[in-house]
Amino acid sequence: FNPPHMGHELAGLYVLETCDVDQLWFIPTFKHPFDKQLISYEDRFVMCELMADALGPRARVSDVERRLPEPSRTLNTVKALQAEHPGHAFSLVVGSDLEREIATWYGSEELLRLVPLIVVGRRGSQGARPVAIPDISSSEVRGRLARGEPVDDLLPRRVLDYIRRRTLYGEPQ
């Protein structure tokens, strides 16, 4: 979610409307495990809240990764959520572009034993899915913002307004 974009929002809506879930939690990474450069956690958290608000009361943002040891690891996040919310049954939502990578993730076998996957199709990725979310990447959005190119069709309006107000990602004033 650096920044959260329309692909994330559309995937969230798809999951809420087609899967047997009571809630959808967006969880921004606190510190990327491969030291990927991220803007501040606080800004990414607020942008996720702005995106989640558009999806209604069943969508929320969790700050669980802020409280965990660094770097962020999905397995540790899942374990922490299960410990904090023992009455919840969690699933992990991933895009079809990441489905094949999961085997390389830290503790992937344990992770897949702990939570089922909800795989959302992503246009341009392998693996047939009935619906494919547009192929939008946060890195593409950041690049366009830095170059002053339009991103109006790639970002939720409230997220774009926030980016412009805070002049994030090199967005010109």
Side-chain angles (χ1 to χ4, degrees):
F1 303 116
N2 186 35
H5 52 66
M6 286 305 303
H8 296 128
E9 189 171 322
L10 290 169
L13 179 62
Y14 178 78
V15 168
L16 285 169
E17 293 298 320
T18 65
C19 298
D20 186 19
V21 300
D22 295 321
Q23 294 182 350
L24 178 68
W25 297 6
F26 293 98
I27 303 175
T29 298
F30 188 74
K31 179 169 175 26
H32 197 278
F34 304 117
D35 278 335
K36 189 185 225 183
Q37 291 294 357
L38 303 170
I39 64 164
S40 79
Y41 177 80
E42 291 72 22
D43 282 323
R44 289 181 293 110
F45 189 89
V46 169
M47 288 188 290
C48 283
E49 286 183 315
L50 293 169
M51 177 184 62
D53 284 348
L55 298 175
R58 293 173 51 213
R60 62 178 274 203
V61 183
S62 170
D63 70 346
V64 64
E65 289 210 354
R66 179 194 307 255
R67 301 185 306 272
L68 296 176
E70 298 175 11
S72 298
R73 300 286 189 174
T74 304
L75 175 61
N76 298 338
T77 302
V78 166
K79 286 180 173 181
L81 287 170
Q82 290 175 332
E84 290 176 14
H85 306 280
H88 288 53
F90 288 96
S91 297
L92 177 63
V93 178
V94 296
S96 58
D97 57 315
L98 295 178
E99 187 175 19
R100 291 179 186 223
E101 279 182 29
I102 292 173
T104 67
W105 291 6
Y106 170 81
S108 62
E109 289 180 18
E110 184 178 4
L111 176 66
L112 294 174
R113 279 193 306 273
L114 292 175
V115 290
L117 293 181
I118 296 175
V119 180
V120 177
R122 183 169 177 183
R123 187 171 296 135
S125 69
Q126 293 180 337
R129 294 286 186 268
V131 173
I133 303 304
D135 186 17
I136 303 170
S137 73
S138 293
S139 57
E140 173 191 5
V141 172
R142 289 191 308 273
R144 284 188 180 196
L145 286 167
R147 293 186 299 272
E149 296 173 6
V151 293
D152 302 73
D153 56 341
L154 303 178
L155 293 172
R157 172 60 46 199
R158 290 188 277 181
V159 171
L160 180 54
D161 291 344
Y162 182 86
I163 289 170
R164 287 181 172 152
R165 274 194 316 277
R166 303 267 302 153
T167 60
L168 303 175
Y169 306 108
E171 168 66 18
Q173 292 193 24

